[in-house]
Amino acid sequence: MKFEDLPNEIFIDLFEYFDVLQIFIIFYNLNTRFNQLLNRSHVLNLQKISKTDFNIHYARYHSTISKTIRSIYIADHDETPDLPTRFFSQYFSASYFPSLRSLTIDSMRSMDTLISLLNHCQQLDHFQQLKLIHCHMSTNQHLIWNLPYLTHCSIDEENTIEKTLHQLSTRSNSIKNLALKHFACDSHTLNNILEQTPKLTHLTIAVVIHRLDLPVDLSRLIQLNLSFDGSKEVLFSLFQSMIHLRFLICKIYNFFIDGNEWQKLIENDLIHLEQIHFKIAFKFLQNLSIESQITNLLLTYQTSFWLTERKQYIRCQWDPSDPFQQAYLYTLPYYFPKFHLIKTLVSKSTCSNSNDFWCYDHADKLAYEKHSSQDFPIRFSRLSQLDLILPFHKNFLSTISSWIHLHTLDVVLLQNDSIYEQLQLILDRAPNLYLLRFSHLSEFDVRLFQLTSRSIRRLDFFTKESMLYNWYFDREQCLAFAQSSLGQQCQTLVIDIDHRSNILEIIEHMSQLRSLTFHCKDDRWKAKSNDDELIQWLHDNLPFQCDIIRNQHEKLVLHIWIR
């Protein structure tokens, strides 16, 4: 059977694994049948698009692709510097994307472009989902609440947005699902969000309230993902208003809730609650036995309400060597995306079988800082990111039961003869690893340039620590890296260099390099000067097609989009 003889259903399933632009580049105009099938492709993911593909191929297929696109994902990352501004200023309008339902923007440099984009989205009859990540949108939230058909909104922003939401005066009668991440709000801001979003039923939010100055009505919520810091009395007051809540995920800081207190809340106030997943960070009481405190706490979760009625188990985890006596109490199975393994951990649970619930499949990010022979029984099978200090004890390898999903590896290399051998061992186990980041290099070693991996396409050597301690690649090290196996396949590089001439060496010798982000030791940029001497030097010495951009938020960081 020939490839083109396969039934349409197989091609449709196959196309789901590729971005629409990739499919068009490969299949468009091969025959009429493929052209008809391509019109069923609806996702445009420009997250890692090359400059060549964007400038040539997307420009060629834009008018054909745009009419059927339902979802766009675009990012201003080191791979694609300033791409959202370019894309939305050149190619976006309501008439170009009449079927658009979902839009995700990860970073945006131009606030004017973002405002124009949101105004265009008001004209889209099917636009329902918006996700903004690090777009530095400290004002103009009213444009989001003005979108007439928007039902799902996620804003992942820093604290600058909190004041604006406190003053928000535009009401949305369509938003039902709202996620506000990486900033905390007080009771006044929370009340205003609820007032201006009357149809809200699903909410993700962080709240810091130590005293409740005014009542908060959360009775419309069906699902809540809550991070809470404040007093127990305030939290209980909030829970008592959630009379229709069915699904609760919560992280609580600085106090614990025992099983009897939860039971009273669930039976009297959260009467419709179907699922609860919590993680509580608290400190043990001083001058009392830790063992007795844990035993007494877990006893409150070993009642028929928890074990028989709800069939839910609890684990308490702590580090005996921690001088602050910090502990964590969480439901099983573990439901949260991040986990931190540090030093020596001890745990106790309410499980009758001590071997139960050690597979933490919901966690996709692990920070591992242990260097002991302790064999902790937790197993991770779906990690996408691993933060690791090397050297590690050999027992660590058994902690990860599957490496197939690992996308990002962030390592700290301490001085030890085995660190590069251990690092190569991990690279050999991770077939889909894309990004290798060195958060700390204790020294430059020739073995760094002997590492190999078939999948890695991005390397980061640039860190805040390197700016502080002046760890720069010199010309010899730049050439050694550029000619190494990883250097020859690298498409995105983030690096500190001691002299601007090294940029020319890197771009000349790394034939696959698409984008370069760097901090240069001899950069003489000054905040009050209109003359950017380094950028002018780069324009004079690099090929004309290279786009050169100075980072708006980290002014000593520059980006070059090469090819």
Side-chain angles (χ1 to χ4, degrees), residues 372-389:
S372 71
S373 59
Q374 180 191 19
D375 186 10
F376 210 62
I378 296 178
R379 298 294 180 265
F380 301 91
S381 65
R382 301 192 65 83
L383 291 181
S384 63
Q385 179 171 340
L386 173 62
D387 297 349
L388 181 64
I389 294 179

PDB file of all heavy atoms in Angstrom, residues 372-389:
ATOM      1  N   SER A 372      22.201  12.056  49.593  1.00  0.00           N
ATOM      2  CA  SER A 372      22.338  11.095  50.680  1.00  0.00           C
ATOM      3  C   SER A 372      22.002   9.718  50.140  1.00  0.00           C
ATOM      4  O   SER A 372      21.454   9.567  49.052  1.00  0.00           O
ATOM      5  CB  SER A 372      21.400  11.458  51.837  1.00  0.00           C
ATOM      6  OG  SER A 372      20.047  11.206  51.480  1.00  0.00           O
ATOM      7  N   SER A 373      22.312   8.717  50.914  1.00  0.00           N
ATOM      8  CA  SER A 373      22.067   7.342  50.485  1.00  0.00           C
ATOM      9  C   SER A 373      20.633   6.899  50.749  1.00  0.00           C
ATOM     10  O   SER A 373      20.254   5.778  50.420  1.00  0.00           O
ATOM     11  CB  SER A 373      23.038   6.392  51.200  1.00  0.00           C
ATOM     12  OG  SER A 373      22.874   6.502  52.615  1.00  0.00           O
ATOM     13  N   GLN A 374      19.833   7.796  51.323  1.00  0.00           N
ATOM     14  CA  GLN A 374      18.446   7.444  51.610  1.00  0.00           C
ATOM     15  C   GLN A 374      17.699   7.114  50.317  1.00  0.00           C
ATOM     16  O   GLN A 374      17.706   7.889  49.365  1.00  0.00           O
ATOM     17  CB  GLN A 374      17.741   8.595  52.321  1.00  0.00           C
ATOM     18  CG  GLN A 374      16.272   8.296  52.662  1.00  0.00           C
ATOM     19  CD  GLN A 374      15.532   9.541  53.120  1.00  0.00           C
ATOM     20  OE1 GLN A 374      15.964  10.661  52.861  1.00  0.00           O
ATOM     21  NE2 GLN A 374      14.426   9.356  53.805  1.00  0.00           N
ATOM     22  N   ASP A 375      17.038   5.983  50.298  1.00  0.00           N
ATOM     23  CA  ASP A 375      16.253   5.558  49.138  1.00  0.00           C
ATOM     24  C   ASP A 375      14.798   5.890  49.397  1.00  0.00           C
ATOM     25  O   ASP A 375      14.068   5.123  49.996  1.00  0.00           O
ATOM     26  CB  ASP A 375      16.436   4.053  48.898  1.00  0.00           C
ATOM     27  CG  ASP A 375      15.756   3.603  47.605  1.00  0.00           C
ATOM     28  OD1 ASP A 375      15.323   4.477  46.839  1.00  0.00           O
ATOM     29  OD2 ASP A 375      15.651   2.383  47.386  1.00  0.00           O
ATOM     30  N   PHE A 376      14.384   7.084  48.969  1.00  0.00           N
ATOM     31  CA  PHE A 376      13.009   7.513  49.194  1.00  0.00           C
ATOM     32  C   PHE A 376      12.117   6.838  48.168  1.00  0.00           C
ATOM     33  O   PHE A 376      12.442   6.842  46.974  1.00  0.00           O
ATOM     34  CB  PHE A 376      12.921   9.037  49.079  1.00  0.00           C
ATOM     35  CG  PHE A 376      11.838   9.632  49.931  1.00  0.00           C
ATOM     36  CD1 PHE A 376      11.868   9.496  51.300  1.00  0.00           C
ATOM     37  CD2 PHE A 376      10.791  10.321  49.355  1.00  0.00           C
ATOM     38  CE1 PHE A 376      10.873  10.051  52.088  1.00  0.00           C
ATOM     39  CE2 PHE A 376       9.796  10.880  50.123  1.00  0.00           C
ATOM     40  CZ  PHE A 376       9.838  10.747  51.512  1.00  0.00           C
ATOM     41  N   PRO A 377      10.983   6.291  48.558  1.00  0.00           N
ATOM     42  CA  PRO A 377      10.208   5.439  47.643  1.00  0.00           C
ATOM     43  C   PRO A 377       9.362   6.154  46.601  1.00  0.00           C
ATOM     44  O   PRO A 377       8.708   5.495  45.793  1.00  0.00           O
ATOM     45  CB  PRO A 377       9.315   4.642  48.603  1.00  0.00           C
ATOM     46  CG  PRO A 377       9.176   5.506  49.810  1.00  0.00           C
ATOM     47  CD  PRO A 377      10.474   6.253  49.939  1.00  0.00           C
ATOM     48  N   ILE A 378       9.318   7.479  46.601  1.00  0.00           N
ATOM     49  CA  ILE A 378       8.505   8.193  45.613  1.00  0.00           C
ATOM     50  C   ILE A 378       9.024   7.906  44.207  1.00  0.00           C
ATOM     51  O   ILE A 378      10.226   7.849  43.968  1.00  0.00           O
ATOM     52  CB  ILE A 378       8.525   9.705  45.879  1.00  0.00           C
ATOM     53  CG1 ILE A 378       7.876  10.028  47.217  1.00  0.00           C
ATOM     54  CG2 ILE A 378       7.803  10.460  44.762  1.00  0.00           C
ATOM     55  CD1 ILE A 378       7.899  11.504  47.558  1.00  0.00           C
ATOM     56  N   ARG A 379       8.076   7.743  43.260  1.00  0.00           N
ATOM     57  CA  ARG A 379       8.433   7.523  41.861  1.00  0.00           C
ATOM     58  C   ARG A 379       7.696   8.541  40.989  1.00  0.00           C
ATOM     59  O   ARG A 379       6.524   8.828  41.205  1.00  0.00           O
ATOM     60  CB  ARG A 379       8.067   6.094  41.419  1.00  0.00           C
ATOM     61  CG  ARG A 379       8.811   5.007  42.179  1.00  0.00           C
ATOM     62  CD  ARG A 379      10.303   5.038  41.878  1.00  0.00           C
ATOM     63  NE  ARG A 379      11.045   4.014  42.597  1.00  0.00           N
ATOM     64  CZ  ARG A 379      11.669   4.208  43.747  1.00  0.00           C
ATOM     65  NH1 ARG A 379      11.625   5.400  44.321  1.00  0.00           N
ATOM     66  NH2 ARG A 379      12.342   3.237  44.319  1.00  0.00           N
ATOM     67  N   PHE A 380       8.432   9.076  40.017  1.00  0.00           N
ATOM     68  CA  PHE A 380       7.881  10.069  39.091  1.00  0.00           C
ATOM     69  C   PHE A 380       7.931   9.500  37.674  1.00  0.00           C
ATOM     70  O   PHE A 380       8.991   9.073  37.212  1.00  0.00           O
ATOM     71  CB  PHE A 380       8.675  11.369  39.152  1.00  0.00           C
ATOM     72  CG  PHE A 380       8.707  12.005  40.518  1.00  0.00           C
ATOM     73  CD1 PHE A 380       9.728  11.706  41.407  1.00  0.00           C
ATOM     74  CD2 PHE A 380       7.717  12.882  40.914  1.00  0.00           C
ATOM     75  CE1 PHE A 380       9.769  12.280  42.663  1.00  0.00           C
ATOM     76  CE2 PHE A 380       7.742  13.460  42.174  1.00  0.00           C
ATOM     77  CZ  PHE A 380       8.773  13.157  43.048  1.00  0.00           C
ATOM     78  N   SER A 381       6.803   9.544  36.978  1.00  0.00           N
ATOM     79  CA  SER A 381       6.745   8.950  35.639  1.00  0.00           C
ATOM     80  C   SER A 381       6.416   9.948  34.538  1.00  0.00           C
ATOM     81  O   SER A 381       6.492   9.603  33.358  1.00  0.00           O
ATOM     82  CB  SER A 381       5.700   7.831  35.608  1.00  0.00           C
ATOM     83  OG  SER A 381       4.400   8.356  35.818  1.00  0.00           O
ATOM     84  N   ARG A 382       6.063  11.197  34.915  1.00  0.00           N
ATOM     85  CA  ARG A 382       5.628  12.152  33.892  1.00  0.00           C
ATOM     86  C   ARG A 382       6.329  13.509  34.027  1.00  0.00           C
ATOM     87  O   ARG A 382       5.756  14.553  33.717  1.00  0.00           O
ATOM     88  CB  ARG A 382       4.112  12.346  33.947  1.00  0.00           C
ATOM     89  CG  ARG A 382       3.317  11.053  33.748  1.00  0.00           C
ATOM     90  CD  ARG A 382       1.849  11.316  33.514  1.00  0.00           C
ATOM     91  NE  ARG A 382       1.622  12.035  32.284  1.00  0.00           N
ATOM     92  CZ  ARG A 382       1.541  11.475  31.079  1.00  0.00           C
ATOM     93  NH1 ARG A 382       1.676  10.159  30.953  1.00  0.00           N
ATOM     94  NH2 ARG A 382       1.319  12.211  30.011  1.00  0.00           N
ATOM     95  N   LEU A 383       7.569  13.496  34.461  1.00  0.00           N
ATOM     96  CA  LEU A 383       8.289  14.754  34.633  1.00  0.00           C
ATOM     97  C   LEU A 383       8.589  15.405  33.289  1.00  0.00           C
ATOM     98  O   LEU A 383       9.104  14.769  32.370  1.00  0.00           O
ATOM     99  CB  LEU A 383       9.606  14.519  35.374  1.00  0.00           C
ATOM    100  CG  LEU A 383       9.529  14.120  36.844  1.00  0.00           C
ATOM    101  CD1 LEU A 383      10.925  13.947  37.405  1.00  0.00           C
ATOM    102  CD2 LEU A 383       8.736  15.127  37.660  1.00  0.00           C
ATOM    103  N   SER A 384       8.305  16.707  33.188  1.00  0.00           N
ATOM    104  CA  SER A 384       8.723  17.480  32.019  1.00  0.00           C
ATOM    105  C   SER A 384       9.911  18.370  32.348  1.00  0.00           C
ATOM    106  O   SER A 384      10.662  18.759  31.455  1.00  0.00           O
ATOM    107  CB  SER A 384       7.564  18.334  31.496  1.00  0.00           C
ATOM    108  OG  SER A 384       7.175  19.292  32.464  1.00  0.00           O
ATOM    109  N   GLN A 385      10.101  18.685  33.637  1.00  0.00           N
ATOM    110  CA  GLN A 385      11.232  19.512  34.047  1.00  0.00           C
ATOM    111  C   GLN A 385      11.873  18.929  35.299  1.00  0.00           C
ATOM    112  O   GLN A 385      11.189  18.540  36.249  1.00  0.00           O
ATOM    113  CB  GLN A 385      10.807  20.958  34.314  1.00  0.00           C
ATOM    114  CG  GLN A 385      11.968  21.846  34.771  1.00  0.00           C
ATOM    115  CD  GLN A 385      11.609  23.308  34.823  1.00  0.00           C
ATOM    116  OE1 GLN A 385      10.646  23.754  34.206  1.00  0.00           O
ATOM    117  NE2 GLN A 385      12.389  24.090  35.559  1.00  0.00           N
ATOM    118  N   LEU A 386      13.203  18.903  35.296  1.00  0.00           N
ATOM    119  CA  LEU A 386      13.985  18.400  36.428  1.00  0.00           C
ATOM    120  C   LEU A 386      15.054  19.414  36.788  1.00  0.00           C
ATOM    121  O   LEU A 386      15.865  19.792  35.941  1.00  0.00           O
ATOM    122  CB  LEU A 386      14.618  17.052  36.076  1.00  0.00           C
ATOM    123  CG  LEU A 386      15.607  16.460  37.085  1.00  0.00           C
ATOM    124  CD1 LEU A 386      14.920  16.181  38.422  1.00  0.00           C
ATOM    125  CD2 LEU A 386      16.239  15.184  36.538  1.00  0.00           C
ATOM    126  N   ASP A 387      15.030  19.883  38.036  1.00  0.00           N
ATOM    127  CA  ASP A 387      16.079  20.754  38.565  1.00  0.00           C
ATOM    128  C   ASP A 387      16.953  19.906  39.472  1.00  0.00           C
ATOM    129  O   ASP A 387      16.468  19.341  40.466  1.00  0.00           O
ATOM    130  CB  ASP A 387      15.479  21.916  39.357  1.00  0.00           C
ATOM    131  CG  ASP A 387      14.612  22.822  38.491  1.00  0.00           C
ATOM    132  OD1 ASP A 387      14.648  22.670  37.260  1.00  0.00           O
ATOM    133  OD2 ASP A 387      13.897  23.667  39.053  1.00  0.00           O
ATOM    134  N   LEU A 388      18.249  19.841  39.169  1.00  0.00           N
ATOM    135  CA  LEU A 388      19.096  18.824  39.792  1.00  0.00           C
ATOM    136  C   LEU A 388      20.451  19.402  40.166  1.00  0.00           C
ATOM    137  O   LEU A 388      21.065  20.135  39.391  1.00  0.00           O
ATOM    138  CB  LEU A 388      19.272  17.661  38.812  1.00  0.00           C
ATOM    139  CG  LEU A 388      20.107  16.460  39.240  1.00  0.00           C
ATOM    140  CD1 LEU A 388      19.462  15.741  40.419  1.00  0.00           C
ATOM    141  CD2 LEU A 388      20.281  15.506  38.064  1.00  0.00           C
ATOM    142  N   ILE A 389      20.917  19.051  41.365  1.00  0.00           N
ATOM    143  CA  ILE A 389      22.274  19.378  41.793  1.00  0.00           C
ATOM    144  C   ILE A 389      23.140  18.143  41.632  1.00  0.00           C
ATOM    145  O   ILE A 389      22.799  17.064  42.122  1.00  0.00           O
ATOM    146  CB  ILE A 389      22.294  19.861  43.259  1.00  0.00           C
ATOM    147  CG1 ILE A 389      21.550  21.188  43.400  1.00  0.00           C
ATOM    148  CG2 ILE A 389      23.733  20.029  43.743  1.00  0.00           C
ATOM    149  CD1 ILE A 389      21.498  21.723  44.814  1.00  0.00           C
TER     150      ILE A 389
END
